[in-house]
Amino acid sequence: MKLISALIILLAFSFFACESPSSSSETEVSNLNLEITDSIRIDYIGKLNLMDVNPDFKMILLFDPQKMKFVSTDFEGKILGEFSKNRDAPDGFGSYPMAAGRFNENKNIQVVSMFGIFEYDLEGNLLNSAKIPRDEILPFSGRADAKREIKFVNDKILLAGSIARGEYNKTQPEFYDTYLQLVWADPKTTTFEQFLSLDSASIFQNNMSHEPSTLSTSFDVVNDQLYVISGIDPFLNIYEIEPPYSKLKRIPLELTDYKLNMGEDPKKADPRAISYDPSYGIIQKLVQVGDKLLITYETGYSEEDALRSREKMSQTEWEDFYSRLKEKYKLRYQILDLDGKLLTDAEITNGLSDMYVGRNGALWFLGKAETDVEEDFYTVYEVNIK
């Protein structure tokens, strides 16, 4: 592996709206920062997203979304295995996973989709499966990258489970009253158990219509407690991990210049539409890093830039405008202690993408791909809080 020194980058979205009551303009509380301490180069032609890093096994799991292919490597960047599963194959998991695949204790790849729980070896041989009965399958959405992970908790698998449409739609208060954020996937009983309602004080209980994408939950398990951020809602909620999942704390997040999407008048919203407005702020991810927490988020545009983004532009004008926005609005991160106290809020600088995992007290980021140059390799960085 090759040593480096630097930090991180990424862009940000958002649209003009009300600022979060918990936002601040500039916060600098401590000298803690994110520092790149090592890197791994992976030679690969195609597109790769990060899924998992296992420092104990010295293995990395990536995913090619264009070829729907899993790619595993060692810490020297050598490819250990590649495979893809056609949705119609008898050993396939369906069209898309609900969250990133992850190495289990047997060095195999665990995948959860709406169709069940599947275990593959590095070459793609199906070792175990627990398929959901056809009449019990729910339309969970998902991501095939590290922005949404699975967690192994005792004999179950914990993950976020978003359902955009069901008995109620986004324009109805009942949609938010009955919305459940997390899922226990049980390989032994072949069941998915949804749980954890939205907090009664969250932005989603303001009688407005919210896009389902804004409800995508971030979570981690810390000291046998659930740490949860409900979509764009700028609060850290801490719950007991056992039923009835009692709330222990609700902590406001001091997010810099965060433009909170207050929702749309339900009478004007299209109940069938599922869209995303990239001009509002969004909280991307929450992870534990040793005795700290890391949150990454996009702030949103100024009112002027938000209005400009809605104007008609030529292709050239739009490309120039978007290029300026990428430079102006960087992805931000916060470091908190385990009680939710803010320690650092800063921009992520050039070099790293928005895909990362926290493992063994360190962070592992996928390097940011060059947009104007087609490269034939990817880099995974080890990043530490210092």
Side-chain angles (χ1 to χ4, degrees):
M1 291 190 291
K2 171 185 166 190
L3 193 63
I4 303 203
S5 85
L7 285 152
I8 325 177
I9 176 177
L10 213 65
L11 74 173
F13 303 141
S14 249
F15 175 65
F16 100 89
C18 300
E19 281 198 1
S20 161
S22 58
S23 11
S24 60
S25 55
E26 271 308 320
T27 304
E28 190 65 36
V29 182
S30 75
N31 293 322
L32 291 174
N33 289 293
L34 299 182
E35 181 178 320
I36 295 176
T37 54
D38 217 336
S39 67
I40 302 167
R41 171 172 165 153
I42 299 164
D43 293 324
Y44 185 85
I45 298 175
K47 181 175 175 58
L48 285 179
N49 292 334
L50 180 66
M51 281 190 161
D52 187 24
V53 177
N54 191 307
D56 295 328
F57 301 152
K58 297 189 181 302
M59 294 166 62
I60 301 170
L61 181 62
L62 305 115
F63 187 75
D64 186 330
Q66 296 173 333
K67 301 175 183 176
M68 294 296 289
K69 181 168 67 173
F70 291 85
V71 179
S72 55
T73 79
D74 61 19
F75 269 27
E76 301 300 321
K78 177 184 176 182
I79 292 179
L80 302 174
E82 301 180 48
F83 69 91
S84 60
K85 293 295 173 185
N86 185 284
R87 64 183 301 173
D88 297 323
D91 60 349
F93 58 81
S95 56
Y96 225 68
M98 285 173 61
R102 185 161 181 167
F103 295 116
N104 62 20
E105 61 183 4
N106 298 316
K107 300 184 181 181
N108 298 320
I109 298 169
Q110 200 83 56
V111 178
V112 180
S113 76
M114 71 173 71
F115 298 101
I117 305 163
F118 304 83
E119 181 182 3
Y120 300 94
D121 67 17
L122 302 187
E123 298 299 327
N125 297 303
L126 181 64
L127 304 176
N128 291 291
S129 65
K131 295 185 177 181
I132 301 298
R134 185 173 295 273
D135 59 352
E136 296 179 16
I137 292 174
L138 297 172
F140 289 112
S141 61
R143 293 191 64 98
D145 61 51
K147 288 184 181 179
R148 291 293 175 266
E149 298 185 66
I150 62 175
K151 305 288 181 181
F152 298 117
V153 182
N154 299 324
D155 295 327
K156 297 181 181 180
I157 299 172
L158 179 62
L159 68 161
S162 295
I163 298 179
R165 296 191 181 98
E167 181 180 358
Y168 306 106
N169 65 62
K170 65 183 183 181
T171 68
Q172 298 173 295
E174 293 87 352
F175 177 81
Y176 308 98
D177 292 340
T178 61
Y179 189 87
L180 297 173
Q181 303 177 72
L182 299 178
V183 174
W184 287 115
D186 190 334
K188 292 183 178 179
T189 61
T190 317
T191 57
F192 284 173
E193 178 193 350
Q194 294 177 269
F195 72 101
L196 198 63
S197 300
L198 294 166
D199 191 276
S200 60
S202 80
I203 188 65
F204 305 114
Q205 298 288 8
N206 67 349
N207 295 316
M208 301 293 280
S209 176
H210 298 269
E211 291 301 324
S213 59
T214 66
L215 279 81
S216 185
T217 300
S218 302
F219 75 95
D220 208 339
V221 178
V222 181
N223 297 331
D224 293 325
Q225 295 176 339
L226 281 173
Y227 281 53
V228 176
I229 298 176
S230 302
I232 62 171
D233 192 42
F235 289 83
L236 172 63
N237 300 293
I238 303 177
Y239 301 92
E240 292 181 349
I241 200 168
E242 299 291 340
Y245 310 108
S246 299
K247 182 174 65 177
L248 304 174
K249 290 183 181 179
R250 179 168 167 82
I251 304 163
L253 299 173
E254 302 174 49
L255 304 178
T256 297
D257 295 331
Y258 186 71
K259 305 303 186 298
L260 180 59
N261 187 339
M262 302 297 290
E264 184 181 5
D265 184 342
K267 296 179 181 178
K268 298 179 180 179
D270 182 351
R272 299 166 298 175
I274 298 177
S275 62
Y276 172 67
D277 188 338
S279 56
Y280 284 106
I282 188 168
I283 300 167
Q284 287 197 349
K285 191 170 179 178
L286 159 73
V287 298
Q288 179 185 9
V289 191
D291 61 352
K292 305 289 190 300
L293 301 172
L294 181 79
I295 294 171
T296 48
Y297 68 99
E298 300 169 10
T299 64
Y301 304 157
S302 67
E303 183 173 341
E304 179 183 2
D305 286 336
L307 290 172
R308 173 61 175 153
S309 71
R310 294 288 183 97
E311 295 177 1
K312 290 184 178 180
M313 289 180 266
S314 67
Q315 183 66 27
T316 300
E317 287 176 323
W318 171 248
E319 290 175 357
D320 290 342
F321 176 69
Y322 183 64
S323 178
R324 182 176 67 83
L325 293 184
K326 286 172 63 179
E327 292 302 313
K328 184 175 181 179
Y329 301 104
K330 305 288 188 181
L331 185 75
R332 296 190 72 89
Y333 69 90
Q334 286 197 345
I335 300 170
L336 294 79
D337 66 18
L338 298 186
D339 291 322
K341 178 185 176 183
L342 177 61
L343 303 176
T344 297
D345 183 302
E347 286 184 352
I348 285 181
T349 56
N350 293 343
L352 305 182
S353 77
D354 56 355
M355 295 182 196
Y356 61 93
V357 297
R359 301 286 185 265
N360 296 5
L363 294 155
W364 297 84
F365 278 79
L366 184 67
K368 190 172 186 292
E370 294 290 338
T371 56
D372 52 351
V373 178
E374 185 173 354
E375 297 180 324
D376 56 1
F377 68 92
Y378 283 79
T379 306
V380 173
Y381 295 97
E382 181 181 7
V383 178
N384 284 271
I385 295 176
K386 293 191 175 183

